[in-house]
Amino acid sequence: MFSLYLLAFYAVLLAVKPTRKWALALTPWLIFACSYDCMRLYPNYKVNPIDVKNLFMAEKHLFGFFHQQGETLIPSQYFALHHNTFLDFMAGIFYLCWVPVPLLFGIYLYIIGEKKTYLNFSIAFLVVNLLGFIGYYLYPAAPPWYALNYGFEPILHTPGNVAGLGRWDNLTGLNIFQTLYGKNANVFAAVPSLHSAYMLVATIYAIIGKRSIYTITLFSTICVGIWFTAVYTCHHYIIDVLLGILTAALGIILLQWFVHKTIVGKQFIQSYIQAI
């Protein structure tokens, strides 16, 4: 498993004195990566039944904006039929930012010595992920591409699908998304959309940390671009995106309450800052 390699690398960093503080600082990101990877060990569909049809029909009822040949289409269906080269290219660029940009932002905060902001951001990012993972297990749900390709019956062990992002791979001659989604830990983990949450967390902490207007504008643009891409490429329903935004907001609120309103939280952050 990928987690074993990460843990081995982490142990090396922790064992060597010059990199020990880095290892401690990166702990929230390690937990995030290992938690995601470990979903393979016990898939969410073993906990609760998979929903395919209800989510699809809810999307059609709430956001069935498009009509073609007498049929109501959800946005993902419409974009699967109507797309263009520019949007295909930009969609891939936006989606490639989903983890790298938040991670690089965190590393930047740590390097320039803003450890408190770094920790608040990194731990909030982790909390949002854990909330999302809980959502996956409470409500296993299929993405739009599954319903469009396989119908409404859940088929266990369905391989990951690149969906609309395959158009970016074809445009660039790269197989980045094919590689990424071929190793998807669980295709029935669409709700909430954590893709939609990640850059929102980074954007909010860029604002809290009083980053430049250019950084905030860039992050906001990527954030909205990812929301659009999630629907445009058939990877998420609008419902998933909205729930992802809600998850990000809830995670940040919980973290801010913990570190600012509880004695344990204040002591934890202060001790952690000193450790890194």
Side-chain angles (χ1 to χ4, degrees):
M1 288 178 63
F2 178 64
S3 296
L4 297 179
Y5 295 107
L6 277 180
L7 289 170
F9 179 66
Y10 179 79
V12 171
L13 291 179
L14 201 59
V16 180
K17 190 173 181 179
T19 57
R20 188 168 299 152
K21 289 188 175 183
W22 271 94
L24 292 173
L26 290 171
T27 299
W29 299 89
L30 174 78
I31 297 172
F32 148 65
C34 290
S35 298
Y36 177 80
D37 194 45
C38 286
M39 287 175 62
R40 305 173 194 274
L41 298 178
Y42 199 79
N44 58 347
Y45 52 73
K46 290 187 177 181
V47 178
N48 283 304
I50 300 165
D51 180 29
V52 182
K53 184 175 182 180
N54 292 331
L55 185 58
F56 182 90
M57 297 308 293
E59 181 84 354
K60 180 171 286 193
H61 175 71
L62 294 171
F63 304 108
F65 302 137
F66 304 100
H67 303 276
Q68 187 168 310
Q69 297 179 346
E71 181 183 359
T72 299
L73 303 180
I74 64 172
S76 293
Q77 278 180 296
Y78 179 82
F79 289 129
L81 297 172
H82 304 279
H83 49 83
N84 64 64
T85 301
F86 175 75
L87 290 179
D88 290 343
F89 180 77
M90 292 307 301
I93 297 298
F94 285 132
Y95 239 47
L96 285 174
C97 294
W98 71 300
V99 169
V101 172
L103 178 57
L104 290 173
F105 176 57
I107 292 173
Y108 167 75
L109 290 174
Y110 181 71
I111 288 175
I112 66 173
E114 295 192 15
K115 295 183 179 180
K116 186 174 182 179
T117 304
Y118 165 77
L119 281 179
N120 278 283
F121 165 62
S122 298
I123 298 172
F125 188 90
L126 174 60
V127 170
V128 168
N129 274 279
L130 295 179
L131 288 175
F133 296 161
I134 291 171
Y136 292 163
Y137 280 89
L138 290 176
Y139 182 61
W145 63 258
Y146 181 93
L148 297 179
N149 289 341
Y150 297 98
F152 296 139
E153 288 298 319
I155 303 171
L156 302 184
H157 311 298
T158 301
N161 193 307
V162 72
L165 289 169
R167 297 192 294 268
W168 190 87
D169 280 358
N170 293 334
L171 278 172
T172 61
L174 304 173
N175 287 320
I176 294 177
F177 290 109
Q178 190 63 51
T179 301
L180 288 174
Y181 284 93
K183 298 177 180 178
N184 196 352
N186 186 354
V187 301
F188 301 113
V191 178
S193 168
L194 288 180
H195 277 85
S196 302
Y198 291 160
M199 274 307 303
L200 180 57
V201 177
T203 302
I204 289 173
Y205 276 95
I207 295 170
I208 291 174
K210 299 180 180 178
R211 298 295 99 200
S212 71
I213 188 63
Y214 303 107
T215 299
I216 294 171
T217 301
L218 175 62
F219 282 15
S220 299
T221 302
I222 295 172
C223 186
V224 174
I226 289 175
W227 295 347
F228 172 75
T229 298
V231 177
Y232 178 74
T233 60
C234 273
H235 278 276
H236 286 285
Y237 297 104
I238 293 177
I239 293 172
D240 307 347
V241 172
L242 293 176
L243 289 174
I245 293 170
L246 181 62
T247 300
L250 178 60
I252 291 172
I253 289 170
L254 288 174
L255 189 279
Q256 290 297 306
W257 168 81
F258 177 70
V259 300
H260 292 296
K261 300 297 183 180
T262 68
I263 295 176
V264 173
K266 292 177 181 178
Q267 291 176 341
F268 171 74
I269 289 296
Q270 191 59 40
S271 299
Y272 206 156
I273 290 173
Q274 292 174 357
I276 64 172

